[in-house]
Amino acid sequence: MKRSIRSHKKKFFALFHRSKPVLLFCIGGAFLFAGILVLWASFIKLPDFAAFQSRKVAESTKIYDRTGEILLYDVHQEVKRTIVPFEDISPWIKSAAIAIEDSRFYEHGGISFRGIARAVLYGGTRGGGSTITQQVIKKTLLTDEKLITRKIKEIILSFKLEQSFTKDEILALYLNEIPYGGSIYGLGEASMTFFGKKAKDLSLAESAYLAAIPNAPTYYSPYGNHRDKLDERKNLVLRRMHDLGFINAEEYASSQKTKVDFLPKEPVGIRAPHFVEWIKEYLANKYGELAVEENGYKVITTLDYALQKTAEDTITKFAPDMEEKFGAKNMALVAIDPRTGQVLSMVGARDYFDTKNDGNFNVALALRQPGSTFKPFAYATAFKKGYTPETVLFDLPTNFSVGCDWRGIPLSSSIKKEDCYMPENYEGGYRGPLTMRSSLAQSRNITSVKTLYLAGLSDTISTAKQMGITSLGDTSRFGLSLVLGGGEVQLYEITGAYGAFANEGEKNESTPILRIEDKTGNVIEEFAGKKEQVLPVEVARQITSILSDNEARSPTFGPNSNLYFKNKDVAVKTGTTNDYRDVWTVGYTPSIVVGMWAGNNDNSPIKKGNSAAYTVTNVWRAFMLEATKNTPPERFTPPEKEDLTALPAPLQGIWKGGEKYVIDISSGKLATPLTPLETRGGVVVPEVHTILHWVNKGNPRGTPPVSPQNDPQYYLWEDPVRMWVSAQGIAEGDRSVIPNEYDDVHTPESSPQVSLSGLDFSTPKKAGEPVVVSVSSMGRYPVSRVELFMNGEVVGKKTSSPFVFSFIPSSFSSLSNTNTIDAVVYDAFLNKGSTSAQLIVE
């Protein structure tokens, strides 16, 4: 054993002697490096700490409207700081700051390597990586450059600060320098601004809040949308104080329960306050709190300030009536340009400075149930799958829970009555067979739940997400009630999502930023636009056509409702939650989409019986009229007319049966290939069933189901239909309605014979001189319409004789040396005849 130890010693000393030069070199290098650092540090002059008040706040971030001329907010417009001596600071806030920021403050010499390791391990929940001393240095002397030299300077200056000041003086410097958001700096100003009291009078709970905010002043602002997160961090501060022995168990428990009220935010120096606070949070999240406070950014937003004022004034005008008549104390509005995604206006509450009603809370960014404004996403998904706006569903009493019968009666004792999902229509009653167009336009609940089932719950959620709804959260908790607004969304997001309907299925990602410049004028962020086709064009057009169809919605809303705009194309959808806690209106033209919400921040219901159509829609309409007052009438592009005759009967709008025959409406006989699309119709052998009887739910245009009764919803939908058929006395099985002759109105002999005259087509014509063409025809039936085209471009259309057309060739973009002139003639039964000629132009 001894021999082994002696052997190891010999090996060690031998290794030491061989490595001695290397070790001496490393030791020497370390001393040299330390000497250089000491020499460098000796040349760094510590600033006069009495001049800290004049630090970098002059490099202020300014937020502007879209013109870059109207200042919405200056982050440091009026910097406020009240210096408080150490002895006049509450011991609670001293302990709270140390507990959450630097628990070994009175033990280290300016740098805490243990604190840095703890911050890495625990993500800052047990104190930050930087000591209070380092934070004083960072907030007073250094820039925010991300360089190793900055960190070295921070360490050296922290040591020098510890040598120049006592610990109490350093803590006082910290508490008088920390930012609390906007223009508020230091504990003295914060305690007066937030609580109206001096720093020495702060309670334990108030101190915990003030220690919590500086970590992220914008995010944790008591006037922002994250009060719940501020409460969580306040409780973290208290827990740290208890763990460190600064407070006992009784103080810890009571301070957690203590309700702390913040004073109202002062209404000065800010325009569009909810929008500005949102921008500040965006900047802080992307660039950091320190950068926003000190880098002198110039932020050009997308806000249209004239439109913003219109929104604020409109809400202010209607606010008293909304509260008195309907019990809605709050409103919010978002306006977006669907062609770009740029946010034009945002009002998060009827009065930002009304703290009694939590006015500083931005409801435009809050999660609320959308009611029926969610329905278009289900219908769009159904149309994507092949259903049509003409698809017929039955608006009848229906239970959708498989453990209950169609009347909503449980099928076993293990199922409770309330577990049976049997929605009602908002205005009550049932309308029997109803097309999807009428169902959405009239906002019928029962047929909308059926539409969601046909479209598919997961597919509908996917459509909503693709269109910009990201706030639904855990979608596994949703059922068929989702289509009636069972989830929660942001007004901001659903307004942006409707923009995809307005923009023919193309979603432009919503943005509030046009450009951000640094203090030297360099552009660090600029709007570029992010587009994505999230819906087929025809599907978007179909939804828009329905939401702007005043005739289709009239049975519910009347022909002259607040949803109707004379001489303007406006698509709109309302929504009311079952408990009357939320009322919505979201609508659009091709160039602006506007969403509005009304209700109460405390989630109390408005007065029952007041739907969105008679409450918030009044305000929405007033704003929409002003927003579109000076714009020319814009028209939506209608969806293309589709030949539905080859589709299953329910998709054609035929509900009386599934054995169908295509007929010519004008003759009442079976259609032929010559029968025009416009005169085609369908007749069926009467046999009434639910749509699930006739179509495959997932592929409605494909092969009909062999065993439709295997669908779990089949009998829940079928039984009420059969009861309704019996009550209506509808006779079934009669085949006499099927004609046995074929269309003899539309035949080759019936087509008009067309000729052109009045012009010598063999002679070249001058491009700038008028050309006159006369169209004549002979046929079995009178002429109803004549159309003339040059190279496919419309020259003109006429419905009465003489059918003479005059035009100048040079006015057509398709003009060439040889041009094709087409004349098309339709008779009274839409028989079609045509002829062509070549027009030579010099």
Side-chain angles (χ1 to χ4, degrees):
M1 182 69 175
K2 291 181 179 179
R3 186 180 305 157
S4 175
I5 294 174
R6 284 196 298 270
S7 174
H8 283 301
K9 283 184 176 180
K10 285 181 180 180
K11 289 180 180 179
F12 173 76
F13 284 117
L15 179 63
F16 175 77
H17 283 294
R18 286 197 302 271
S19 306
K20 187 175 180 181
V22 177
L23 291 172
L24 290 175
F25 177 79
C26 291
I27 293 170
F31 275 111
L32 178 62
F33 181 68
I36 293 172
L37 284 179
V38 171
L39 182 64
W40 181 46
S42 66
F43 285 101
I44 298 177
K45 182 180 179 181
L46 195 65
D48 178 8
F49 287 94
F52 277 6
Q53 284 86 335
S54 60
R55 63 187 182 81
K56 300 168 296 231
V57 294
E59 302 287 359
S60 174
T61 290
K62 295 180 174 63
I63 301 172
Y64 294 86
D65 77 333
R66 67 187 298 109
T67 68
E69 297 176 359
I70 297 177
L71 179 65
L72 303 178
Y73 186 68
D74 185 335
V75 174
H76 298 298
Q77 183 173 341
E78 296 177 10
V79 173
K80 299 177 181 178
R81 182 188 288 105
T82 302
I83 302 299
V84 183
F86 185 78
E87 59 272 15
D88 290 338
I89 298 175
S90 165
W92 291 129
I93 185 61
K94 296 174 186 176
S95 298
I98 291 172
I100 195 64
E101 296 293 341
D102 186 2
S103 61
R104 298 184 64 250
F105 172 68
Y106 280 100
E107 300 172 24
H108 61 65
I111 302 296
S112 174
F113 296 104
R114 181 187 299 177
I116 295 172
R118 185 175 60 247
V120 172
L121 285 173
Y122 297 103
T125 60
R126 299 191 180 182
S130 296
T131 64
I132 285 176
T133 309
Q134 287 174 271
Q135 291 186 55
V136 170
I137 293 299
K138 285 192 289 187
K139 295 177 188 301
T140 57
L141 299 178
L142 301 177
T143 66
D144 65 341
E145 57 184 349
K146 305 295 183 182
L147 300 174
I148 186 63
T149 54
R150 178 191 181 281
K151 197 65 180 178
I152 295 173
K153 288 179 184 179
E154 179 187 311
I155 293 172
I156 294 174
L157 288 171
S158 294
F159 283 130
K160 294 196 73 172
L161 184 62
E162 289 273 348
Q163 294 168 2
S164 303
F165 290 83
T166 68
K167 285 288 187 178
D168 288 353
E169 289 172 331
I170 293 172
L171 183 58
L173 282 170
Y174 170 78
L175 292 173
N176 280 300
E177 284 298 318
I178 48 179
Y180 280 92
S183 59
I184 305 170
Y185 279 82
L187 176 70
E189 194 62 40
S191 59
M192 289 300 298
T193 300
F194 294 146
F195 306 121
K197 58 175 62 175
K198 295 182 179 179
K200 65 180 180 180
D201 299 323
L202 290 169
S203 69
L204 172 56
E206 291 167 342
S207 297
Y209 273 117
L210 292 186
I213 293 173
N215 179 259
T218 301
Y219 184 81
Y220 289 122
S221 169
Y223 305 124
N225 266 35
H226 305 290
R227 179 62 188 268
D228 57 335
K229 299 300 181 183
L230 173 59
D231 291 341
E232 290 177 10
R233 185 163 175 80
K234 177 264 296 184
N235 289 333
L236 172 63
V237 173
L238 292 171
R239 187 169 71 248
R240 289 288 298 146
M241 293 178 74
H242 177 258
D243 292 346
L244 293 168
F246 294 159
I247 58 176
N248 59 37
E250 183 181 346
E251 291 168 328
Y252 176 47
S254 64
S255 57
Q256 280 188 308
K257 299 175 183 177
T258 301
K259 186 179 185 301
V260 174
D261 293 320
F262 288 81
L263 295 177
K265 189 169 185 178
E266 296 180 15
V268 293
I270 188 170
R271 294 183 171 100
H274 291 103
F275 179 79
V276 164
E277 292 295 333
W278 182 43
I279 294 295
K280 286 170 60 183
E281 185 172 330
Y282 169 85
L283 296 172
N285 289 339
K286 187 165 186 178
Y287 300 105
E289 295 272 0
L290 190 64
V292 175
E293 292 171 2
E294 300 179 356
N295 281 12
Y297 293 143
K298 180 178 182 180
V299 183
I300 312 298
T301 70
T302 59
L303 190 87
D304 182 325
Y305 189 64
L307 199 63
Q308 175 72 15
K309 281 294 295 174
T310 298
E312 292 173 356
D313 293 345
T314 303
I315 287 176
T316 299
K317 176 183 175 182
F318 281 86
D321 270 359
M322 285 291 291
E323 180 172 0
E324 182 179 343
K325 292 182 179 179
F326 309 118
K329 297 178 182 178
N330 205 4
M331 287 180 279
L333 181 149
V334 173
I336 295 174
D337 184 341
R339 301 164 301 183
T340 62
Q342 295 174 8
V343 179
L344 303 176
S345 176
M346 176 181 282
V347 182
R350 82 180 207 183
D351 182 359
Y352 179 80
F353 302 103
D354 178 13
T355 55
K356 181 181 177 182
N357 292 308
D358 294 325
N360 53 275
F361 184 79
N362 190 347
V363 186
L365 302 176
L367 294 176
R368 308 290 303 201
Q369 289 193 342
S372 294
T373 57
F374 195 83
K375 287 176 180 174
F377 302 111
Y379 284 85
T381 307
F383 295 160
K384 282 198 295 182
K385 289 197 167 185
Y387 293 94
T388 67
E390 291 75 20
T391 298
V392 176
L393 302 171
F394 281 88
D395 181 17
L396 297 170
T398 308
N399 158 68
F400 293 92
S401 301
V402 294
C404 311
D405 70 8
W406 68 273
R407 298 164 296 179
I409 298 175
L411 296 176
S412 70
S413 58
S414 63
I415 299 174
K416 299 178 181 178
K417 174 72 173 177
E418 54 266 28
D419 294 331
C420 303
Y421 180 52
M422 197 167 183
E424 296 286 340
N425 291 310
Y426 174 78
E427 65 275 22
Y430 308 97
R431 293 180 180 165
L434 206 62
T435 64
M436 283 188 175
R437 171 178 290 275
S438 296
S439 174
L440 177 57
Q442 297 169 30
S443 200
R444 305 297 289 178
N445 288 342
I446 295 169
T447 44
S448 291
V449 174
K450 290 181 177 181
T451 298
L452 176 60
Y453 180 73
L454 296 173
L457 179 61
S458 61
D459 288 340
T460 297
I461 291 173
S462 178
T463 296
K465 285 183 175 180
Q466 289 170 354
M467 294 181 69
I469 304 293
T470 65
S471 50
L472 285 173
D474 179 15
T475 55
S476 64
R477 60 193 173 95
F478 296 128
L480 293 177
S481 64
L482 177 67
V483 76
L484 307 185
E488 291 183 327
V489 303
Q490 292 179 348
L491 173 63
Y492 165 64
E493 284 196 344
I494 200 168
T495 303
Y498 269 59
F501 291 134
N503 204 40
E504 300 207 318
E506 184 179 72
K507 176 176 75 75
N508 287 282
E509 188 173 297
S510 299
T511 178
I513 300 294
L514 280 182
R515 187 172 72 257
I516 300 177
E517 301 173 2
D518 65 16
K519 56 191 173 185
T520 61
N522 295 318
V523 177
I524 63 172
E525 181 178 335
E526 190 167 22
F527 170 77
K530 188 176 180 182
K531 300 180 178 181
E532 181 184 1
Q533 193 73 33
V534 295
L535 279 181
V537 173
E538 280 303 299
V539 169
R541 289 177 178 175
Q542 287 170 333
I543 294 294
T544 295
S545 172
I546 294 171
L547 297 185
S548 59
D549 189 337
N550 195 55
E551 182 179 351
R553 64 174 168 241
S554 289
T556 293
F557 300 97
N560 297 305
S561 71
N562 284 322
L563 308 179
Y564 174 62
F565 291 73
K566 188 176 181 180
N567 299 324
K568 285 184 183 290
D569 277 4
V570 180
V572 57
K573 186 72 191 74
T574 62
T576 307
T577 54
N578 288 338
D579 50 16
Y580 295 94
R581 298 182 193 278
D582 306 271
V583 287
W584 302 69
T585 303
V586 187
Y588 54 90
T589 69
S591 60
I592 188 172
V593 53
V594 179
M596 279 204 71
W597 167 91
N600 296 303
N601 281 18
D602 62 4
N603 217 30
S604 60
I606 67 171
K607 295 178 181 178
K608 294 191 183 302
N610 293 297
S611 70
Y614 306 105
T615 55
V616 71
T617 303
N618 300 329
V619 193
W620 174 87
R621 176 183 174 81
F623 173 79
M624 203 69 168
L625 284 170
E626 287 297 315
T628 60
K629 181 170 61 177
N630 297 319
T631 61
E634 299 172 285
R635 298 299 179 191
F636 295 123
T637 303
E640 293 183 3
K641 189 171 179 61
E642 181 184 6
D643 181 3
L644 304 177
T645 54
L647 300 181
L651 274 61
Q652 290 182 241
I654 300 172
W655 58 269
K656 288 187 176 181
E659 184 185 342
K660 67 181 182 67
Y661 298 85
V662 182
I663 66 167
D664 168 47
I665 298 173
S666 56
S667 67
K669 299 177 181 180
L670 292 171
T672 70
L674 294 177
T675 305
L677 174 63
E678 294 86 349
T679 68
R680 288 178 176 235
V683 294
V684 296
V685 177
E687 184 185 355
V688 187
H689 295 284
T690 172
I691 189 174
L692 295 174
H693 188 88
W694 303 114
V695 305
N696 183 323
K697 177 171 78 79
N699 182 20
R701 300 190 180 208
T703 305
V706 176
S707 302
Q709 65 275 12
N710 290 340
D711 189 296
Q713 289 286 319
Y714 180 81
Y715 287 110
L716 296 176
W717 296 19
E718 176 74 358
D719 288 351
V721 170
R722 298 307 303 165
M723 292 288 291
W724 179 82
V725 169
S726 177
Q728 298 295 315
I730 297 175
E732 297 181 285
D734 181 9
R735 305 186 65 86
S736 65
V737 296
I738 308 302
N740 51 24
E741 294 181 334
Y742 285 91
D743 175 13
D744 54 8
V745 172
H746 304 96
T747 63
E749 296 77 21
S750 301
S751 298
Q753 303 301 308
V754 184
S755 61
L756 301 176
S757 60
L759 181 66
D760 182 2
F761 285 96
S762 62
T763 304
K765 304 297 181 292
K766 295 186 180 297
E769 294 182 356
V771 171
V772 178
V773 176
S774 178
V775 181
S776 57
S777 72
M778 294 179 61
R780 182 179 298 177
Y781 306 111
V783 173
S784 64
R785 185 171 81 248
V786 176
E787 300 174 350
L788 192 71
F789 303 87
M790 187 177 87
N791 300 328
E793 292 187 67
V794 177
V795 173
K797 299 180 181 181
K798 294 194 173 187
T799 56
S800 60
S801 62
F803 300 109
V804 179
F805 299 86
S806 177
F807 62 96
I808 298 175
S810 61
S811 63
F812 291 83
S813 60
S814 60
L815 179 66
S816 63
N817 294 115
T818 303
N819 305 274
T820 301
I821 301 296
D822 292 300
V824 182
V825 176
Y826 297 90
D827 67 19
F829 294 103
L830 298 183
N831 285 300
K832 176 182 174 182
S834 63
T835 190
S836 299
Q838 297 297 311
L839 176 66
I840 301 173
V841 177
E842 292 179 347

